[in-house]
């Protein structure tokens, strides 16, 4: 009796998750072995058709009248007629969906085919026809073919149909049939090997048992026959299904073929690991679809990892396709690259690839994709073990235990660290590259990376004694570049152990706020971070000062060590009463501050002092505050000394020449030897570094000291501009930045100490005015002499922008804690009132450099710079100045004139303009519209001026400008729709300021507003028809003067009808 409803087809039973596939398969096989074998095969055809989404039922009459090809054609015709399912039951995503009628169909479908193959083969009816004579007489129609032949004909026909879903269902079934046969052959091979071993053992006995030997002989022959039978069927099914479908147009079918053949090769290597079958994997490595390439390379990876014998059998394949595997490291799909990396690692372990061939894999540790970095990190231990074994006398290179502190283990750990340093050095290791390496290898080498005693010891020892004692070869020793890499490694490992992310995740997108958001840290992670903090502090207390003294003359090694001071746990110094030891570190930092002229060293020193002053205890804060006061005094005195000497010499020369200090009587240029330019630049660099990190060390009662510094900085700027230059341009740029930061800090200090002191407020206002007058005069001088320097222009623009931003209403009432009103700020002098003339002068310099090509990157004593970098920086500064103008100062002409450069001043300027447009949209549609309208109106005023009234080139240029601005907007965007509507409204107000139009501005309708009408929504155009009709009603239509107005009305009316 059947154990399910016979009226339900196989497809419905398999789609129903409550049906047991084993029972369904056994019932179907019982029907096939009975007199109803035609009904069973008809049901199998029906199930295959419905698995391919065709809702057809194949009857016994169809089976009798049609061949397999005829049934396939009938199914295809029915499917083309529209009789098919909307959902694909065989789709891979159907297995992942939580709901749906075919959630488990694919797995049940493949299991059904596996069951019928194994069950029929077990009773001997799969490959041969075992129907009895009695069954034939009862049915009077015998089954002429075996089940294998019937199934193979069915699947071969359906896998070649035009419908992709039918081909997918038939191909999946055919691949599963081959997989079942491979399993049969593998079991038979295992049985054969077992029988052979038993037979050999029996023969070795002194008195072998003939009965047992005969039984083993028969079992061995039976297993061999079973293997030959399975291989014959595999070969037949492979030739009729796989050889046609591995190049199918559907990539899902091709990828399924690659996954299947890879599994067959792992299960039955002696049969499939030949060039006849391996070539299909090799060809698919070049497939255009990434899913097929992933399937092919992952199948190869499993083959290489399964057994070393597989690699030996694939020597010809490796020689032919190994270059293609190496090329896949540059694939666009991360999954392909990750599998290619692991595959090359397996080949390296097998000895097929040398260490030099793995260098491209090492460089992938810096890749932006996290999957590729992880794949490369999994291969690195294999490379390091080989390198360590070649350069040390350690026998056990696989021991990476952190708890075992034997000499061999210490030697191994140091060798591993040096191997990593050599690896990063070969990658031209910088701090960013070392950070990427530490981030990628952290999970593997965390115990070695956090052995800071070993890291400091490697830096502290000279190298030769340590390496000689630990049996390290000379090529593993440290040089200066390796020492720099090791110091950077110390800093990166400390940051990573404290929970910082060394590499930003590529999956984080959107606003930077989400990138900077703090990650959730578990309790165990907090405990581990605190423990690492304590371990680093303990190691640093003993070794860090000595290491810093040893390498204090080497900037590359010293800077990471200074930055690592920020991560010391100062409580340990207090608990152990070693405050003086930390004071020695601070004194060493102060010494290094004046020892080097690099900005990187200066910033690192100031960052340490700022960190301790802000977060340290009272003792440490006082210690660092006194140190910062001394540093500031020394730097200020040095600048005053150099500027004072130069002023006295300049005055002495003018008196000797009998000339006054008037600009019309300038002295000849002074030789560079008269003033040490390098000293003033270094002093200004130190002042800039100090002001960037530290607060002013003195109170307003000692403000005269600041006045002297401020006057000296303005003197440097004026001398460079009014020249002959007694200072270099670079010095003037540094002085400009320092003066701006000094003013900002004095503003904050004035609010904190004496918000109601009029004397200090008046003094501060006078200093701001002097600075802005100096900057404005310098900008005008640059424009007049046509000697614009990008370095000075960037310094002026950035300083003015910073002053505008930082001098906004940030002041609060000391009593109530409420923001001070605008009137009170103006009365107290706390606001920053930038005049139109000053803003115009600064913007003209920026705009002039944006308009002209880059030429002076190597002139005016400034170092050579790449033009693209300079263009990017100038565009960024122009954007910042325009945003300050629109959002804070409400002038508007900077942004409007910047828009006029769209499409004319290079790629970076266009990027700045589009970024500005994005930000203007956030301020509201009216702000964006006003800015664009101001740009168009100012440009049109030049068009209608008397001097160029007949210049057709200017008219064409204005029309092109309007079209470029209009191209920034999209018709279907609701946000752009509001902006375009506001632009049209403002443009009409410009042309029709009163009841009647302005005659000279009528041409603006077609040239300026015409391109924006095409971007106007039809509903907004309809709303404009009535106001325009009111304007037209008071004008005579025959008057040719107003012809542009009537033409514009027709264009708007056309747009209102939805056309252009």
């Amino acid at each position: 009796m059947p154990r399910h409803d016979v009226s339900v087809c196989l497809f419905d039973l398999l789609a129903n998750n409550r049906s047991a596939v084993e029972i369904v398969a056994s019932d179907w096989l019982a029907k096939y072995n009975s007199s109803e074998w035609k009904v069973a095969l008809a049901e199998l055809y029906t199930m295959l058709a419905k698995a391919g989404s065709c809702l057809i039922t194949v009857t016994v009459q169809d089976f009798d009248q049609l061949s397999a090809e005829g049934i396939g054609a009938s199914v295809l015709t029915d499917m083309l007629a529209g009789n098919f399912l909307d959902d694909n039951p065989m789709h891979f995503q159907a297995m992942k969906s939580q709901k749906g009628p075919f959630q488990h169909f694919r797995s049940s479908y493949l299991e059904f085919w596996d069951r019928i193959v194994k069950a029929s083969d077990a009773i001997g009816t799969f490959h041969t026809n075992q129907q009895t004579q009695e069954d034939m007489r009862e049915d009077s129609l015998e089954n002429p073919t075996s089940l294998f032949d019937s199934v193979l004909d069915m699947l071969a026909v359906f896998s070649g149909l035009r419908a992709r879903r039918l081909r997918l269902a038939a191909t999946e079934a055919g691949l599963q049939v081959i997989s079942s046969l491979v399993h049969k052959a593998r079991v038979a091979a295992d049985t054969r090997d077992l029988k052979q071993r038993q037979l050999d053992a029996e023969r070795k006995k002194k008195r072998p048992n003939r009965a047992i030997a005969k039984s083993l002989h028969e079992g061995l022959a039976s297993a061999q026959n079973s293997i030959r039978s399975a291989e014959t069927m595999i070969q037949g099914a492979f030739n009729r299904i796989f050889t046609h479908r591995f190049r199918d147009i559907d990539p899902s079918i091709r990828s399924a073929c690659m996954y299947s053949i890879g599994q067959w090769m792992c299960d039955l290597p002696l049969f499939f690991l030949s060039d006849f079958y391996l070539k299909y994997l090799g060809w698919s490595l070049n497939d255009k679809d990434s899913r097929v390439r992933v399937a092919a390379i992952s199948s190869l990876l499993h083959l290489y990892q399964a057994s070393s014998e597989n690699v030996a059998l694939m020597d010809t394949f490796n020689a032919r396709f190994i270059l293609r595997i190496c090329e896949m490291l540059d694939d666009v799909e991360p999954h392909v690259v990750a599998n290619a990396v692991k595959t090359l690692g397996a080949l390296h372990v097998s000895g097929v690839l040398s260490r030099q061939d793995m260098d491209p894999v090492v460089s992938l540790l810096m890749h932006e994709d996290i999957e590729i970095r992880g794949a490369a990190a999994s291969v690195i231990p294999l490379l390091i073990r080989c390198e360590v074994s070649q350069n040390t006398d350690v026998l056990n290179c696989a021991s990476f235990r952190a708890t075992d502190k034997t000499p061999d283990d210490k030697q191994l750990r140091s060798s591993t660290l040096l191997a990593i340093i050599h690896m990063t050095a070969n990658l031209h290791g910088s701090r960013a590259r070392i950070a990427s390496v530490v981030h990628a290898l952290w999970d593997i080498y965390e115990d070695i990376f956090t052995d800071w005693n070993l890291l400091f010891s490697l830096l502290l020892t000279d190298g030769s004694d340590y390496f000689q004692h630990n049996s390290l070869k000379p090529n593993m020793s440290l040089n200066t570049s390796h020492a720099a890499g090791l110091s950077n490694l110390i800093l990166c490992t400390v940051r990573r152990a404290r929970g910082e992310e060394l590499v930003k995740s590529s999956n984080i997108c959107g606003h930077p706020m989400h990138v900077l958001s703090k990650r959730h840290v578990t309790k165990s992670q907090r405990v581990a971070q605190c423990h690492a903090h304590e371990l680093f502090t303990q190691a640093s207390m003993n070794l860090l000062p000595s290491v810093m003294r040893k390498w204090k003359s080497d900037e590359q090694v010293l800077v990471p060590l200074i930055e690592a001071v920020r991560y010391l746990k100062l409580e340990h110094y207090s608990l152990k009463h070693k405050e003086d030891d930390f004071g020695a570190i601070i004194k060493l930092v102060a010494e290094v501050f004046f020892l080097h002229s690099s900005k990187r060293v200066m910033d690192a020193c100031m960052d340490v002092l700022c960190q301790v002053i802000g977060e340290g205890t009272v003792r440490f804060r006082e210690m660092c505050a006194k140190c910062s006061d001394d540093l500031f005094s020394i730097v200020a005195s040095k600048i005053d000394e150099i500027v004072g000497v130069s002023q006295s010499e300049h005055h002495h020369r003018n008196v000797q020449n009998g000339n006054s200090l008037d600009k019309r009587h300038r002295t000849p240029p002074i030789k560079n030897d008269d003033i040490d330019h390098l000293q003033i630049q270094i002093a200004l660099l130190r002042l800039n570094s100090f002001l960037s990190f530290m607060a002013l060390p003195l109170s307003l009662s000692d403000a005269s000291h600041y006045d002297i510094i401020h006057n000296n900085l303005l003197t440097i700027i004026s001398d460079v501009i009014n020249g002959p230059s007694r200072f270099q341009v670079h010095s003037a740029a540094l002085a400009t930045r320092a003066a701006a930061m000094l003013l900002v800090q004095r503003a904050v200090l004035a609010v904190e100490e004496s918000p109601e002191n009029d004397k200090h407020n008046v003094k501060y206002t006078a200093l701001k005015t002097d600075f802005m007058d100096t900057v404005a005069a310098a900008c005008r001088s640059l424009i007049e002499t046509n000697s614009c320097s990008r370095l000075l222009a960037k310094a002026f623009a950035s300083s003015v922008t910073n002053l505008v931003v930082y001098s906004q209403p940030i002041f609060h009432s000391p009593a109530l804690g409420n923001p001070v009103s605008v009137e009170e700020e103006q009365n107290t002098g706390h606001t920053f009132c930038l005049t139109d003339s000053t803003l115009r002068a600064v913007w003209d310099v920026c705009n002039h450099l944006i308009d002209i090509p880059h030429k002076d990157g190597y002139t005016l004593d400034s170092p050579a710079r790449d033009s693209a970098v300079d263009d990017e920086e100038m565009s960024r500064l122009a954007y910042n100045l325009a945003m300050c103008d629109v959002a804070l100062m409400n002038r508007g002409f900077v942004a409007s004139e910047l828009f006029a450069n769209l499409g004319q001043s290079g790629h970076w300027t266009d990027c700045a303009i589009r970024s500005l447009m994005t930000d203007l949209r956030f301020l509201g549609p009216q702000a964006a519209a006003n800015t664009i309208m101001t740009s168009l109106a100012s440009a049109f005023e030049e068009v209608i001026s008397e001097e160029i009234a007949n210049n057709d080139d200017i008219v064409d240029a204005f029309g092109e400008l309007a079209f470029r601005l209009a191209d920034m907007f999209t018709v279907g965007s609701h946000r752009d729709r509001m902006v375009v509507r506001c632009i049209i409204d403002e443009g009409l107000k410009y042309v029709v300021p009163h009841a009647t139009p302005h005659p000279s501005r009528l041409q603006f309708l077609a040239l300026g507003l015409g391109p924006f009408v095409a971007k106007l929504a039809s509903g907004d155009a309809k709303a404009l028809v009535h106001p325009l009709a009111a304007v037209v009603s008071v004008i005579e239509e025959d008057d040719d003067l107003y012809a542009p107005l009537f033409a514009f009305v027709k264009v708007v009316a056309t747009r209102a009808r939805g056309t252009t």
Side-chain angles (χ1 to χ4, degrees):
M1 294 293 293
R3 287 165 283 183
H4 59 268
D5 189 359
V6 294
S7 62
V8 181
C9 66
L10 291 176
F11 177 81
D12 296 331
L13 291 172
L14 296 178
N16 185 6
N17 192 31
R18 293 174 296 179
S19 301
V21 180
E22 183 178 2
I23 298 175
V24 175
S26 61
D27 289 344
W28 181 89
L29 192 59
K31 182 184 295 186
Y32 175 80
N33 292 327
S34 67
S35 60
E36 298 181 350
W37 61 272
K38 293 184 178 180
V39 178
L41 289 178
E43 290 180 355
L44 205 60
Y45 273 104
T46 303
M47 181 197 68
L48 185 58
K50 290 187 177 181
S53 302
C54 182
L55 295 175
I56 191 175
T57 300
V58 179
T59 62
V60 177
Q61 291 77 12
D62 297 331
F63 182 78
D64 290 335
Q65 297 174 3
L66 300 174
S67 62
E69 291 79 4
I71 295 176
S74 176
V75 170
L76 181 62
T77 303
D78 197 72
M79 193 171 184
L80 294 176
N83 188 21
F84 59 87
L85 294 169
D86 294 334
D87 298 329
N88 184 7
M90 293 297 298
H91 199 273
F92 292 96
Q93 298 297 329
M95 300 177 61
K96 301 179 182 180
S97 60
Q98 298 180 355
K99 297 180 181 180
F102 307 118
Q103 180 179 359
H104 304 284
F105 174 77
R106 183 173 180 273
S107 58
S108 300
Y109 174 78
L110 297 180
E111 183 183 355
F112 173 80
W113 287 104
D114 181 60
R115 293 283 183 182
I116 63 173
V117 171
K118 292 180 179 178
S120 61
D121 184 71
I123 62 177
T125 60
F126 186 65
H127 188 240
T128 58
N129 187 3
Q130 297 289 337
Q131 194 174 28
T132 63
Q133 294 295 327
E134 297 179 359
D135 293 334
M136 292 181 183
R137 284 195 296 267
E138 291 177 359
D139 190 36
S140 71
L141 290 174
E142 64 179 55
N143 186 358
T145 59
S146 65
L147 178 58
F148 171 73
D149 294 332
S150 300
V151 168
L152 187 58
D153 291 340
M154 177 193 314
L155 297 179
V157 170
F158 275 73
S159 63
L161 296 177
R162 286 190 299 165
R164 293 195 183 189
R165 294 186 179 183
L166 291 172
R167 292 205 310 274
L168 177 61
T171 304
E172 289 273 6
L175 297 176
Q176 181 59 52
V177 169
I178 299 177
S179 298
S180 301
L181 293 173
V182 168
H183 176 75
K184 171 192 174 182
R186 180 178 181 181
V187 172
D190 293 341
T191 303
R192 177 195 59 188
D193 296 339
L194 177 61
K195 297 293 184 183
Q196 184 64 51
R197 290 193 299 270
Q198 292 175 345
L199 182 60
D200 294 339
E202 187 65 29
R203 287 174 176 174
K204 292 179 181 179
K205 294 180 180 180
K206 294 182 179 180
R207 300 176 65 181
N209 191 322
R210 295 183 178 180
I212 296 178
K214 181 179 180 181
S215 175
L216 291 175
H217 269 295
E218 293 176 353
L220 186 62
S222 176
Q224 191 63 38
N225 292 333
S226 180
I227 292 174
R228 284 196 292 267
S229 173
E231 290 179 351
T232 302
M233 290 187 287
I234 290 172
Q235 185 69 42
F238 187 91
N239 293 334
R240 296 193 62 183
I241 296 177
F242 184 92
T243 55
H244 299 287
R245 299 280 66 81
F246 87 97
R247 54 187 177 183
D248 194 279
I249 193 174
D250 191 350
S252 60
I253 296 178
R254 300 200 302 271
S255 62
C257 291
M258 292 303 107
Y259 281 120
S260 297
I261 195 174
Q263 187 62 43
W264 302 337
M265 290 176 178
C266 290
D267 293 341
L268 205 62
L270 294 178
F271 180 80
F272 280 100
L273 287 186
S274 63
D275 292 340
F276 177 82
Y277 296 103
L278 286 170
K279 64 184 179 183
Y280 296 107
L281 279 178
W283 292 342
S284 298
L285 293 175
N286 296 285
D287 196 277
K288 62 182 179 180
D289 193 272
S290 61
R291 290 173 291 177
V292 184
R293 297 196 301 273
V294 168
I297 192 66
S298 61
S299 297
L300 282 177
L301 174 61
H302 295 154
L303 276 175
Y304 292 136
Q305 291 178 341
S307 174
S308 58
E309 297 177 357
N310 292 346
V311 182
L313 294 173
M314 299 169 63
D315 53 349
T316 307
F317 172 85
N318 294 333
R320 180 180 178 185
F321 291 102
I322 197 169
L323 291 179
R324 172 55 192 155
I325 299 176
C326 295
E327 292 173 356
M328 296 180 81
L329 295 178
D330 299 325
D331 199 279
V332 297
E333 177 60 36
H335 298 296
V336 176
V337 179
N339 283 280
V341 168
K342 297 176 183 178
T343 303
L344 293 177
L347 290 173
H348 174 68
V349 173
S350 302
V352 178
L353 289 178
S354 63
R355 173 61 183 84
Q356 290 74 16
D357 296 331
M358 298 298 292
D359 287 339
V361 174
V362 179
S363 63
L364 293 178
L365 288 172
M366 277 74 71
H367 200 277
E368 61 181 4
D369 188 83
I370 187 173
E371 182 181 2
I372 297 178
R373 290 201 306 268
S378 65
V379 177
I380 295 302
L382 307 176
L383 307 181
I384 290 180
R385 289 172 187 170
C386 296
E387 186 170 349
V388 168
S389 63
Q390 293 174 2
N391 291 280
T392 66
D393 297 332
V394 180
L395 297 177
N396 184 15
C397 292
S399 174
F400 285 89
R401 295 172 295 174
T403 57
D404 186 7
K405 296 299 182 180
T406 61
D408 288 342
D409 182 70
K410 184 178 180 180
Q411 177 183 351
L412 178 62
R413 295 161 70 87
S414 59
S415 302
T416 303
L417 278 174
L418 293 175
I420 295 175
I421 293 299
H422 278 266
M423 185 184 301
T424 54
N426 295 333
L427 297 173
H428 308 286
S430 61
R431 178 182 301 188
R433 292 178 180 269
I434 293 177
S436 300
V437 171
V438 172
H439 178 79
L441 301 178
W442 183 258
D443 294 335
I444 304 173
Y445 295 111
E446 180 180 358
D447 56 336
I448 299 180
F449 285 155
T450 53
D451 192 354
W452 289 293
N453 286 310
L454 176 61
L455 291 169
F456 282 129
S457 300
L458 290 175
L459 276 177
L460 188 59
T461 56
D462 196 20
S464 57
D465 297 338
Y466 181 84
F467 302 127
Q468 198 171 26
H469 176 72
N470 289 282
S471 303
L472 296 179
K473 296 184 180 180
N475 60 343
M476 293 290 289
S477 60
L478 282 178
N479 54 30
T480 303
S481 62
H482 294 157
L486 193 56
S487 64
N488 280 293
L489 183 67
I490 292 175
L491 178 61
C492 293
T493 53
V494 173
R495 293 174 54 197
R496 183 64 181 84
R498 292 286 293 138
E500 295 185 18
E501 286 292 336
L502 301 180
V503 178
K504 292 183 179 179
S505 175
S506 59
N507 298 326
I508 300 178
C509 58
H511 198 275
M513 180 185 302
H514 304 297
V515 180
L516 300 177
S517 60
K518 203 169 185 179
R519 298 182 300 114
H520 294 289
V521 181
T522 63
K523 180 180 179 180
S524 60
Q525 290 175 337
R526 285 196 301 270
V527 172
Q529 293 172 9
C530 293
H531 181 64
H533 197 186
E534 294 176 356
L535 289 179
F536 175 72
T537 303
Q538 293 172 2
S540 300
M541 290 175 68
N542 300 325
L543 300 175
L544 181 59
S546 302
V547 175
M548 291 179 64
R549 291 190 188 94
K550 175 180 174 59
W551 297 98
K552 69 177 182 180
S553 60
D554 195 319
E555 173 190 339
Q556 302 298 326
V557 183
L558 181 63
V559 172
L561 297 175
I562 296 176
E563 294 177 352
V565 177
R566 298 175 62 250
Y567 298 93
L568 293 176
K569 193 171 184 179
L570 301 182
E571 290 85 349
H572 279 263
Y573 288 91
S574 300
L575 293 174
K576 296 183 179 182
H577 304 288
K578 291 186 177 182
E579 292 88 348
D580 295 337
D581 292 349
F582 185 77
I585 295 178
I586 296 300
K587 290 180 181 179
L588 186 59
V589 169
E591 180 184 349
V592 170
F593 182 75
F594 290 104
L595 182 63
H596 292 271
S597 59
S598 170
K599 182 178 182 297
R600 183 185 175 192
V601 176
M602 300 174 190
D603 289 347
C605 295
M606 290 297 101
D607 191 17
V608 169
L609 294 179
C610 180
Q611 175 82 8
V612 178
I613 291 176
E615 300 181 4
T617 58
V618 177
R619 175 75 181 275
F620 296 120
R621 286 203 302 266
E622 293 176 352
M623 184 187 304
C624 292
K626 184 179 183 304
C627 181
S628 65
D629 293 350
D630 296 339
L631 295 180
F632 184 78
S633 300
I634 295 174
V635 172
S637 300
K638 185 66 176 178
I639 294 175
D640 184 53
E641 178 186 350
I642 296 176
V643 174
V645 170
S646 64
Q647 284 182 333
S648 61
E649 291 183 356
H650 180 62
H651 178 73
H652 179 68
R653 289 174 182 268
N654 281 320
V655 171
Q656 285 182 347
N657 295 334
N659 296 329
S660 64
L661 295 179
D662 189 80
K663 295 181 182 179
R664 294 170 296 178
H665 306 284
R666 294 172 180 170
T667 59
I670 302 175
K671 296 181 180 180
N672 291 339
D673 296 337
D674 294 342
I675 298 177
D676 192 347
H677 296 290
L678 182 60
Q679 288 187 6
I680 188 63
Q681 287 186 13
I682 293 175
L684 290 172
L685 275 173
R686 289 174 179 149
L687 180 61
N688 275 273
S689 179
F690 184 92
L691 295 175
S692 298
F693 290 91
M694 308 295 294
L696 292 179
L698 303 176
S699 63
L700 288 177
S701 59
D702 302 321
S704 58
H705 192 54
Y706 298 146
D707 297 342
I708 296 174
I709 299 175
H710 184 82
N711 293 332
N712 289 334
L713 296 176
L714 295 185
T715 300
I716 295 173
I717 301 172
S718 301
D719 287 348
V720 172
I721 298 301
N722 298 329
S725 175
R726 295 178 296 115
F727 300 101
Q728 293 182 350
V729 175
H730 189 61
S731 300
L734 292 173
T736 304
R737 186 175 183 272
M741 289 191 293
L742 190 64
L743 287 174
V744 172
Q745 290 216 28
R746 289 200 61 173
V748 176
L749 192 62
V751 173
E752 291 178 349
E753 291 195 3
S754 57
E756 299 178 357
N757 194 326
D758 295 337
K759 177 182 177 181
H760 295 308
N761 294 335
V762 172
K763 183 65 176 177
Y764 174 68
T765 304
L767 291 176
K768 287 193 299 185
T769 304
D770 292 343
F771 174 76
M772 293 312 305
D773 290 344
T774 303
V775 171
C779 292
R780 296 188 189 97
S781 177
L782 291 176
I783 294 295
E784 291 172 1
T785 58
N786 196 22
S787 59
C788 284
S789 169
R790 287 180 177 265
L791 191 61
L792 283 178
K794 289 187 288 187
F796 294 153
S798 60
S799 300
V800 170
T801 304
N802 291 337
L803 274 176
V804 172
V805 172
Y806 286 109
S807 298
Q808 291 307 303
I810 58 174
F811 309 98
H812 294 78
S813 173
L816 301 177
N818 297 323
V820 182
S821 64
V822 177
E823 292 79 5
E824 293 175 350
E825 291 170 6
Q826 293 176 352
N827 294 332
T828 57
H830 288 161
T831 55
F832 185 78
C833 299
L834 187 64
T835 61
D836 289 346
S837 60
T838 302
L839 181 60
R840 169 59 67 182
V842 176
W843 166 243
D844 285 344
V845 172
C846 291
N847 197 20
H848 180 68
L849 292 176
I850 289 176
D851 288 338
I852 63 176
H854 175 80
K855 294 180 180 179
D856 66 331
Y858 56 93
T859 60
L860 293 178
D861 300 324
S862 62
R865 296 290 302 276
D866 183 67
S867 60
V869 176
D870 278 347
D871 291 339
E872 178 185 1
E873 293 179 355
M874 288 304 305
S875 301
R876 191 186 304 274
L877 290 173
Y879 161 80
N880 293 335
L881 197 61
M883 277 304 300
C884 289
D885 181 26
V886 173
L888 302 178
M889 293 180 290
N890 200 20
R891 301 297 206 290
F893 66 85
V894 175
S896 61
E897 293 184 13
L898 178 60
F899 273 116
N901 292 280
L902 180 63
Q904 299 295 315
S905 302
H907 167 72
W908 288 113
T909 303
D910 292 345
C911 292
I913 292 173
R914 297 188 183 278
S915 299
L916 177 62
M917 190 66 215
T918 301
D919 292 338
L920 287 176
R921 290 188 177 102
F922 288 110
L923 295 177
Q926 194 64 45
N930 290 338
T931 304
I932 291 181
M933 187 57 212
T934 303
S935 178
L936 291 174
S938 59
F940 187 74
E941 293 296 332
E942 298 180 7
V943 173
I944 63 177
S945 60
E946 296 181 359
E947 294 82 1
I948 53 177
N950 297 323
N951 195 338
D952 294 336
D953 294 337
I954 297 297
V955 175
D956 295 338
F958 175 76
E960 293 176 0
L961 171 63
F963 273 105
R964 291 195 300 269
L965 293 177
D967 286 339
M968 290 193 297
F969 301 97
T970 306
V971 180
S973 174
H974 178 72
R975 182 179 59 182
D976 290 348
R977 169 188 175 183
M978 301 297 296
V979 178
V980 172
R981 173 63 187 272
C982 293
I983 293 174
I984 298 293
D985 291 340
E986 294 297 327
L988 292 177
K989 293 178 183 178
Y990 173 74
V991 178
V992 189
H994 304 291
T996 58
H998 196 292
S1000 62
R1001 299 176 180 175
L1002 289 175
Q1003 194 178 5
F1004 181 81
L1005 294 173
L1007 294 176
L1009 297 184
F1012 291 92
V1013 174
K1015 307 292 183 178
L1016 196 64
S1018 58
D1020 295 334
K1022 292 178 183 178
L1024 291 174
V1025 171
H1026 181 71
L1028 288 174
V1031 176
V1032 171
S1033 61
V1034 298
I1035 301 174
E1036 295 182 3
E1037 188 174 356
D1038 297 336
D1039 193 348
D1040 295 337
L1041 180 64
Y1042 298 102
L1045 177 61
F1046 290 104
F1048 182 77
V1049 172
K1050 292 181 180 179
V1051 173
V1052 174
T1054 303
R1055 182 58 189 156
R1057 294 192 297 269
T1059 58
T1060 58

